[in-house]
Amino acid sequence: RPDFQILIYPVISFGKFTHKGSRNNLLGKDTTAQYIDYFSNELQVNAKTPKAFLVHAKNDMAVPIENSWMYRDALKKYGIPVQLFEFEKGGHGFGMVNATSEIAWTSKLAEWLKQENIL
């Protein structure tokens, strides 16, 4: 088990808010509801799930931000430290620098890593 997670515009759920291409590629087009639930990470959180830092843009049209919201909420339910940094814009795939914002998410990550005594 990793000590922490850094997730950038993550595909968390294979349910309602999934990235269908990821679901089809990973689970197949004819997958079952049982597999969808089993591989939807927001449904698999428990007390041993590592702390997480997430980054997502609200206007991500490929992977809806609901993925990060659901995962954040599931982690909070178990008292697991989590921080979600949300950009208003940036879409999907902005990488290390979101050109639509003056805020560097990597700086926020560094702060979180120090706050969590990882660095």
Coordinates of all heavy atoms in Angstrom, one line a residue, residues 15-16 18-25 62:
G15 N -19.0 4.5 -12.7 CA -20.5 4.6 -12.7 C -20.9 5.8 -13.5 O -20.4 6.1 -14.6
K16 N -21.8 6.6 -12.9 CA -22.5 7.7 -13.6 C -21.5 8.7 -14.2 O -21.8 9.2 -15.3 CB -23.5 8.3 -12.6 CG -24.2 9.5 -13.2 CD -25.2 10.1 -12.2 CE -26.0 11.3 -12.8 NZ -26.9 11.9 -11.8
T18 N -18.3 8.4 -15.1 CA -17.1 7.8 -15.6 C -16.6 8.5 -16.9 O -17.4 9.2 -17.6 CB -17.3 6.3 -15.9 OG1 -16.0 5.7 -16.1 CG2 -18.2 6.1 -17.1
H19 N -15.4 8.2 -17.2 CA -14.8 8.5 -18.5 C -15.1 7.2 -19.3 O -14.5 6.2 -19.0 CB -13.3 8.8 -18.5 CG -12.7 9.0 -19.8 ND1 -12.0 8.0 -20.4 CD2 -12.7 10.1 -20.6 CE1 -11.6 8.5 -21.6 NE2 -12.0 9.7 -21.7
K20 N -16.0 7.2 -20.2 CA -16.5 6.0 -20.8 C -15.4 5.2 -21.6 O -15.4 4.0 -21.6 CB -17.7 6.3 -21.7 CG -18.9 6.6 -20.9 CD -20.2 6.5 -21.8 CE -21.4 6.6 -20.9 NZ -21.9 7.8 -20.4
G21 N -14.5 6.0 -22.2 CA -13.4 5.3 -22.9 C -12.5 4.5 -21.9 O -12.1 3.4 -22.2
S22 N -12.2 5.1 -20.7 CA -11.5 4.3 -19.7 C -12.2 3.1 -19.3 O -11.6 2.0 -19.2 CB -11.2 5.2 -18.5 OG -10.3 6.3 -18.9
R23 N -13.5 3.3 -19.0 CA -14.3 2.1 -18.5 C -14.3 1.0 -19.6 O -14.1 -0.1 -19.3 CB -15.7 2.5 -18.2 CG -16.5 1.4 -17.6 CD -17.9 1.7 -17.1 NE -18.8 2.0 -18.2 CZ -20.0 2.5 -18.1 NH1 -20.4 2.9 -16.9 NH2 -20.7 2.7 -19.1
N24 N -14.6 1.4 -20.8 CA -14.6 0.4 -21.9 C -13.2 -0.3 -22.1 O -13.2 -1.5 -22.3 CB -15.1 1.0 -23.2 CG -16.6 1.4 -23.1 OD1 -17.3 1.0 -22.3 ND2 -17.0 2.2 -24.1
N25 N -12.2 0.5 -22.1 CA -10.8 -0.1 -22.3 C -10.4 -1.0 -21.1 O -9.7 -1.9 -21.3 CB -9.8 1.1 -22.5 CG -9.9 1.7 -23.8 OD1 -10.4 1.1 -24.8 ND2 -9.5 3.0 -23.9
A62 N -13.8 15.7 -20.2 CA -13.4 14.3 -20.4 C -13.7 13.5 -19.1 O -14.3 12.4 -19.2 CB -11.9 14.2 -20.8

